[in-house]
Structures are given as C-alpha cells and as structure tokens.
Amino acid sequence: MASTIIKQQAAQAAPGKTGTKPQESPSLLRQPRAVWAVVFACIIAFMGLGLVDPILPAIAHKLNASASQVTLLFTSYNAVMAVAMLITGVLSSKLGMKGTLLTGIVIIAVFAALGGASNGIWPLIGLRGGWGLGNALFVATSLTAIVTLSKSGTAKAIILYEAAIGVGISVGPLLGGELGSISWRGPFLGVAGLMVIAFIGLLILMPSAKKTPVLPGARTAAASKPRVSLLDPFRTLKHRSILVLGIGACLYNFGFITLMAYSPFVMGLDEHGLGYVFLGWGVLLALTSVFMAPKLQRKFGTVKSMCAMLFLFGLVLLAMGIWTSTQWVIIAAVIFAGALLGNNNTLITTAVMNAAPVERSTASAAYSFLRFLGAAVAPYLAGKLSEWYNPHVPFIVGAGFVILAVVFILLNRNYVKHVDNAASAH
C-alpha cells in the first residue's frame, strides 16, 4: 500500500497526458522556501548535538564527575526524547508543523542556557532531559515537514534531511571545541544562541500552514487525516515492518551512542583535538548520506545495503575494543565510522518512511520511540562497563549489539522487503 501511495503522489507531482514523455525527476536543490527554512533550522539544531561532544572529559574534570555520570547527559537526553516522541503527533496536530518546530527550538534554547549556568553534574543531567524534550518536538516534526513539503519526492527529501544533520553535526564539534577551550559552559550557551538564530530564521522563512505550498497528494492526505491519538504510535507498532526497523535501530544505537558518548574518554585529546576528530566524522557522515547512500540503495537495495553498513560498523567497534589503548586506531575508527553511519542513517530513515501505510509523522514517532530507548541505555551502560571491567569492554559490547541488529533484521526480512519496491517508485 505504501508503494501505491507513493506512485500516486509521483503521478500527481508530474501531471501530463498518457503516453507523453515523462518529466525529469525534480532536482534535490529545487525546493520551496518552507523546506529550506526547516533545513536551515535542522543544521543549527544538530550543531547543538555536536557542540557538547568535545567537552565531555572537561565536564567530568570540572564537576568532579565519573565517566558514567557524565554519560548520563546522553541518557537523560535520549530517555526523555524516547517518551516525548509518543506525544509529538498530538502536539503537532494542535500547534501545526511551524508551531511545533518553534516550540521545540524555544525549549532547547532555554534548557541549554540553564545548563550553561548550572554548577553540578546532577542539575546538568536533569536540564539535558529538558533539552531532549525540545529536541523530540523538533526532530520528529522537521523530518515530517521536509518530506511533506518537498517537491522532489520522499527519497530526495530524506537525503536533504540527512545532509542537514550531517552539516550540523560536522560543524558543531569544531565550534564546540573552540568554545569548550574557553569554558565547558561555552558550548551550552553557544547552543542557546544558535537556537535563537534558528527561531528567527524559521519564524521569517517558513510560511504559516495556510500559505505553505504542499503537493496535491500531501494536501489530500492531510484533509482526510483522522484525529490524532496518543495511542497512534503504539497502534503503528502492530505493523511488523515498523516494529522490526525500530527494534533493529534500538540495538544499533547501542553502538552508535557508545561511539559518541564514550570514545572521547579514551582518545586522550583536548577540546580542540576532539572537535577536529568529530568534524571529520561529521563530514564523512554528511557526504555519504547524500552521495553514497542513494547509489547503494539503487544497486543493492535498501535492506541489503543497511545490513552491510551495520555489519561493517560492528567490525569497526570491535576493532576499537581490541585496540582501545592505541590512540590512532580510535581516532581513525571514529572518523571512518562517520561514513558507515551516514549511509545507514539515510537508508534506515528511507525504509521507515516507506515501511507502513500510516501517516509519516506517526511512523516516525513509533520508530523513534524504540530507537531512542537504545540510545538512552547505551551511554550509561558504556560508562559502567568501563568502571566494572576495563576500557575495552564498552566497545566490544556495542559491537555485539550492532551485529545483533543485523541478525534480527535479516531474520525478519520478509516483513521489510517491500521497502525496496516503495523506494524504487521514486
């Protein structure tokens, strides 16, 4: 059914008489002003994620906190995001896409600023949870907004979204390293300032709902959309395709967040050095998500390509676990992992958007709920495993979870194989 809907939207986007030469697929860069407004806000928002990464060791030192306590900054953030994803659909239906995006940005700015003013690790952990609430509203709605408003189809819209994430994540650590070298508070206050810029840009550039140019198919779907309920994400999980991808992402995020939250503690670099390492990571993530992932998808299919990237990522984490004390191996592995994660993020997001015949926002909320559950447990578990055993164990455990994600998806492949047919409709 998802494939049928996408084909209908494609036909509406390229009207013409039967038998006439089909129009070329719209360019990725030819988008309505509303799409570019959201993309700009995405770049600023995801800069906030990378800004904090280079200062994790500095926070531990300045606030006399252990590695496991500092990783709770990721745990509280992702745990609140996971739960908040369940209410994003209801809030978005009441506030509209623009209102929900602006609300999320305001919440991020407020809690980031309060975090920069805090003086203890536990208040900072709590404030990061508030930050996660704002990010949940923004992330869930921004993806839906770009896909819904884009003129170039779902696949290219997702590439644009992942590119915005990659640009934000790649630039964020560099800025975070510079601000963090002045004070660990700098990146938190920097996020608050960037959110103000994003708020102004979105307020000015994104039209109101009544003026937003939406594709005919999207407008029809919106008009016939049933009333949004808090139970919708749970009902969506009855679709085995969404459930399989969500559980797979939950397992994969154990490795992904272990790399992000724990690797800064074993690299032995200062704020500047960590900023440059994660800059390289983010650049590869951005480039592969835009240029390589679509080629892999066309040649090998979404599911095969996704499993291949996850398997390679598992091997990278295993190498990090074996050679944890060798600095250059950790640095090279983190940067190279950006290429694998860029490909996988685009592939799995495309799969989710094409997986079930439900509203995209509802599918995204259900999937993200499961995904961020894994992201919430992983950082604290990584810190504790390091304290209980040794610095090698967190990476080895992370690798095990990623390989388990591959096995789980392959065992349930019959439930997700249709996403390749849906993607080919674009």
Side-chain angles (χ1 to χ4, degrees), residues 218-254:
R219 185 180 294 116
T220 302
S224 60
K225 183 174 63 175
R227 185 175 180 179
V228 179
S229 167
L230 287 171
L231 297 177
D232 285 347
F234 294 105
R235 296 190 183 107
T236 300
L237 292 177
K238 293 180 180 179
H239 295 282
R240 292 295 292 271
S241 54
I242 295 292
L243 183 62
V244 168
L245 292 171
I247 293 176
C250 178
L251 296 171
Y252 143 67
N253 264 280
F254 272 86

Side-chain angles (χ1 to χ4, degrees), residues 56-333:
L56 294 177
I59 292 175
H61 175 70
K62 296 293 184 181
L63 298 183
N64 297 316
S66 65
S68 61
Q69 287 176 324
V70 174
T71 54
L72 282 172
L73 294 173
F74 282 86
T75 293
S76 63
Y77 175 82
N78 287 301
V80 172
M81 278 193 71
V83 176
M85 283 294 174
L86 300 175
I87 64 171
T88 54
V90 173
L91 290 177
S92 180
S93 68
K94 295 182 180 299
L95 300 176
M97 283 192 296
K98 183 175 182 178
T100 306
L101 290 171
L102 292 175
T103 301
I105 288 174
V106 169
I107 293 173
I108 294 172
V110 169
F111 280 95
L114 291 174
S118 64
N119 294 309
I121 186 63
W122 293 109
L124 189 58
I125 290 169
L127 291 169
R128 273 284 283 181
W131 186 339
L133 172 61
N135 219 54
L137 295 175
F138 181 85
V139 169
T141 312
S142 61
L143 174 57
T144 303
I146 291 176
V147 171
T148 302
L149 302 173
S150 173
K151 288 184 176 181
S152 57
T154 300
K156 289 183 179 179
I158 290 172
I159 292 172
L160 193 61
Y161 172 77
E162 294 294 342
I165 292 176
V167 172
I169 288 179
S170 62
V171 176
L174 187 63
L175 182 58
E178 296 299 321
L179 294 175
S181 64
I182 301 172
S183 169
W184 70 265
R185 302 178 190 274
F188 285 89
L189 299 177
V191 167
L194 289 172
M195 288 299 100
V196 172
I197 297 175
F199 180 89
I200 295 173
L202 201 61
L203 186 66
I204 295 174
L205 296 177
M206 187 174 182
S208 61
K210 294 181 179 180
K211 298 180 181 180
T212 302
V214 183
L215 289 177
R219 185 180 294 116
T220 302
S224 60
K225 183 174 63 175
R227 185 175 180 179
V228 179
S229 167
L230 287 171
L231 297 177
D232 285 347
F234 294 105
R235 296 190 183 107
T236 300
L237 292 177
K238 293 180 180 179
H239 295 282
R240 292 295 292 271
S241 54
I242 295 292
L243 183 62
V244 168
L245 292 171
I247 293 176
C250 178
L251 296 171
Y252 143 67
N253 264 280
F254 272 86
F256 176 35
I257 300 299
T258 294
L259 182 140
M260 281 203 70
Y262 179 69
S263 63
F265 292 101
V266 300
M267 270 193 263
L269 299 173
D270 61 11
E271 293 85 353
H272 290 288
L274 289 172
Y276 284 115
V277 169
F278 280 99
L279 170 65
W281 174 80
V283 167
L284 284 183
L285 187 148
L287 292 176
T288 54
S289 66
V290 175
F291 299 108
M292 188 174 178
K295 293 180 180 179
L296 291 174
Q297 186 179 29
R298 286 193 297 269
K299 188 168 184 179
F300 303 106
T302 304
V303 179
K304 284 184 179 179
S305 300
M306 184 170 59
C307 289
M309 293 299 105
L310 288 177
F311 180 73
L312 291 175
F313 179 49
L315 294 182
V316 168
L317 286 172
L318 182 60
M320 294 174 72
I322 296 172
W323 291 286
T324 307
S325 57
T326 306
Q327 187 185 52
W328 73 266
V329 172
I330 299 298
I331 293 173

